[in-house]
Amino acid sequence: MAHGLIYEGVSPEPMAFSGGSAAQSTVLHAFDEFLGICHREDSAAFLRRMREYMPPAHRAFVEEIHGAVSLRQLVLSSGDTRLRAAFNLCVSALVDFRSCHITLVTKYIAAAAAKAKARRAEPNAGAGPSAGKPPSALEAKGTGGSHIFSFLKSIRDTTREGMISA
Ligand code: HEM
C-alpha cells in the first residue's frame, strides 16, 4: 500500500503508518542519546520515524537527553581512565544486548522462515491453512518495516563504534 489506506470516518485522504515495533520503545533511544551513539543515516532515519509513535512525553524525554551536555564529551575531557572504562562498559553492554537480539531474530524470523519455506516445497504441501504464501517483499522486513538484518547489524556496529578508545 504505497499510498496508504483510507481510514473511513477519520480522513478522506489515505494515511500510511508503520506496524508496531520495539524500535518505538523509548528505553533504547534514551540509552543511545545518553551514550552519544550515532547511527548511520538510513538506520537513524528509521529510528527517528519510530519516535513519532512514542507517547509525546517519552519523545520529549529522549529529545531532552539529546540536547543535554554530552556525557561522552565529559568523559573524554576528564581524561579519567576509570571513568572511560565505566563508560565503555555501558556501551559494550548495549552492544551485547543488540548482538543477543540479532540471535533471537535469527532464530525466530530467519530460521523459522527458512523452515516454513522448506515445508512449502515438500510434495503434498499444497493444501492446508499454511498453503498461502506471504508476499515475498515482506520476507526480509520487520514489523516496523525495517530491512531487518542490515538495520539490526548496522545499529549494533555503530553502537560498538561509540566506545572511547585509549
Ligand atoms: C522473538 C523475539 C524477537 C523478535 C523476532 C524481534 C524482532 C525485531 C525486529 C525485526 C526488529 C527491527 C525493527 C522492526 O522492523 O520492527 C526489532 C527491533 C527491536 N527490538 Fe526486537 N525482537 C524480538 C525480541 C525483542 C526483545 C526481547 C526485546 C527487548 C527486551 C527487543 C527489543 C527491540 C528493540 C529495542 C528494537 C529496536 C532496535 C534497537 O534499538 O536495537 N526485541 N526487533
Side-chain angles (χ1 to χ4, degrees), residues 34-37 70-92 95 158-166:
F34 186 57
L35 297 168
I37 307 296
S70 158
L71 174 69
R72 193 186 155 77
Q73 281 310 321
L74 274 178
V75 173
L76 269 170
S77 59
S78 76
D80 184 322
T81 51
R82 284 196 314 155
L83 205 53
R84 191 178 62 215
F87 178 89
N88 281 344
L89 217 53
C90 295
V91 177
S92 100
V95 174
T158 43
T159 305
R160 191 180 285 126
E161 287 162 19
M163 303 255 230
I164 300 176
S165 46

Side-chain angles (χ1 to χ4, degrees), residues 20-23 28 46-47 97-98 101 104-105 108-109 142-146 148 151-152 155:
S21 166
L28 273 271
F46 173 76
L47 288 169
F97 171 84
R98 286 188 159 133
H101 179 259
L104 266 182
V105 175
Y108 289 101
I109 298 191
T143 49
S146 71
I148 305 178
F151 167 68
L152 293 176
I155 58 172

Side-chain angles (χ1 to χ4, degrees), residues 2-154:
H3 305 292
L5 191 66
I6 293 175
Y7 290 80
E8 288 177 5
V10 177
S11 164
E13 297 300 322
M15 297 192 286
F17 297 103
S18 149
S21 166
Q24 293 155 7
S25 165
T26 314
V27 67
L28 273 271
H29 289 255
F31 285 146
D32 280 344
E33 292 293 0
F34 186 57
L35 297 168
I37 307 296
C38 286
H39 297 301
R40 283 192 259 287
E41 187 40 40
D42 51 341
S43 302
F46 173 76
L47 288 169
R48 261 198 311 276
R49 193 156 57 76
M50 294 298 104
R51 287 188 187 178
E52 290 166 20
Y53 295 85
M54 290 177 185
H58 287 211
R59 188 164 61 233
F61 174 65
V62 174
E63 277 157 16
E64 184 89 20
I65 302 174
H66 175 77
V69 176
S70 158
L71 174 69
R72 193 186 155 77
Q73 281 310 321
L74 274 178
V75 173
L76 269 170
S77 59
S78 76
D80 184 322
T81 51
R82 284 196 314 155
L83 205 53
R84 191 178 62 215
F87 178 89
N88 281 344
L89 217 53
C90 295
V91 177
S92 100
L94 199 52
V95 174
D96 289 348
F97 171 84
R98 286 188 159 133
S99 292
C100 185
H101 179 259
I102 291 171
T103 309
L104 266 182
V105 175
T106 304
K107 181 168 175 187
Y108 289 101
I109 298 191
K115 218 185 269 175
K117 213 171 188 172
R119 251 201 316 271
R120 276 200 306 270
E122 282 169 11
N124 310 324
S130 60
K133 239 177 124 186
S136 60
L138 294 180
E139 278 178 9
K141 292 229 174 181
T143 49
S146 71
H147 298 281
I148 305 178
F149 288 102
S150 56
F151 167 68
L152 293 176
K153 285 183 180 161
S154 139

